[in-house]
Amino acid sequence: SSRVISGHLGTKVCEAGCSALILNALDQLCWLFNLRGSDIECNPVFLGYAVLTASPGEEEGAPLVTRARLFLRALDEEDEASNAATVRTVRRHLDSEGCGSEGGAAFVELAAYSSFGADEAALRCGADGLVMLERGTTTMAMAAALPDARRRLVDTSPVEALKARKNEAEVAGLVSAGRKDAAALCSYFAWLEAQMVAGE
């Protein structure tokens, strides 16, 4: 579930000596929150950002506290009824993923895409916390919004490392999909060769 994944992600962020992580790679957002969208034609992604913060619990031995703020382009609509419907839909999904309520060990707060600012991540992780940015996906504006001493650029987001880990069912699904794709290509190339031989 997204709640379990967020907990693992928070641990990775803390192990790297950081207190926050900014995500703007759309595939990473979709995977982390198990959400899909239609902001980009013919792509199952949504426009957004996420700021994930992680900190140790207040008592010794307490579990890591992971929080996320998800900025959605879909919440920038002028129609308030549309925004409210989007919030309800996303909240229902987050509840089903175990991370929709503030009372849990992990929760997600929703905000409008236009309200995002990388400097907020620094504010959310205290006076000295470092903010992690992925070198290959972060923008110059995001990096520039953070003082040098408060940002840490990494080659690969911890989300990518978690995405790469597959369980047995996922591996079996990849193998099955690969076989189907190979069969479809063989069928197509056989048809193409027959067409060329026939001079068509």
Side-chain angles (χ1 to χ4, degrees), residues 73-133:
R73 172 64 184 84
L75 295 182
D76 277 341
E77 300 295 331
E78 292 183 7
D79 182 0
E80 290 186 14
S82 176
N83 288 337
T86 298
V87 168
R88 285 194 301 271
T89 300
V90 174
R91 283 257 175 249
R92 275 197 303 269
H93 169 75
L94 292 174
D95 285 341
S96 73
E97 290 286 314
C99 57
S101 65
E102 189 169 339
F107 77 94
V108 180
E109 178 186 348
L110 301 178
Y113 183 82
S114 58
S115 68
F116 170 78
D119 53 342
E120 179 196 351
L123 295 174
R124 291 171 72 89
C125 62
D128 303 315
L130 290 176
V131 179
M132 181 185 292
L133 299 168

Side-chain angles (χ1 to χ4, degrees), residues 31-194:
W31 183 84
L32 177 59
F33 298 106
N34 197 19
L35 285 167
R36 302 297 180 267
S38 57
D39 289 341
I40 300 174
E41 190 173 353
C42 300
N43 285 277
V45 297
F46 57 90
L47 296 176
Y49 298 97
V51 176
L52 184 134
T53 57
S55 60
E58 294 182 4
E59 299 177 8
E60 188 174 339
L64 187 74
V65 178
T66 305
R67 301 281 188 261
R69 191 166 198 205
L70 179 59
F71 299 83
L72 298 173
R73 172 64 184 84
L75 295 182
D76 277 341
E77 300 295 331
E78 292 183 7
D79 182 0
E80 290 186 14
S82 176
N83 288 337
T86 298
V87 168
R88 285 194 301 271
T89 300
V90 174
R91 283 257 175 249
R92 275 197 303 269
H93 169 75
L94 292 174
D95 285 341
S96 73
E97 290 286 314
C99 57
S101 65
E102 189 169 339
F107 77 94
V108 180
E109 178 186 348
L110 301 178
Y113 183 82
S114 58
S115 68
F116 170 78
D119 53 342
E120 179 196 351
L123 295 174
R124 291 171 72 89
C125 62
D128 303 315
L130 290 176
V131 179
M132 181 185 292
L133 299 168
E134 185 179 45
R135 196 181 307 275
T137 59
T138 193
T139 65
M140 288 293 291
M142 286 166 54
L146 297 167
D148 289 350
R150 299 294 304 279
R151 69 174 180 250
R152 174 167 293 169
L153 292 172
V154 296
D155 291 331
T156 305
S157 162
V159 174
E160 287 297 332
L162 290 172
K163 279 175 61 181
R165 296 174 61 183
K166 306 296 182 189
N167 60 35
E168 289 183 13
E170 290 169 324
V171 170
L174 288 170
V175 170
S176 175
R179 287 177 178 156
K180 289 177 183 176
D181 286 348
L185 280 173
C186 289
S187 177
Y188 168 72
F189 287 135
W191 171 85
L192 182 60
E193 184 177 8

Side-chain angles (χ1 to χ4, degrees), residues 14-35:
C14 285
E15 287 175 351
C18 297
S19 300
L21 167 67
I22 297 178
L23 296 173
N24 68 317
L26 304 186
D27 63 313
Q28 294 181 21
L29 292 173
C30 289
W31 183 84
L32 177 59
F33 298 106
N34 197 19
L35 285 167

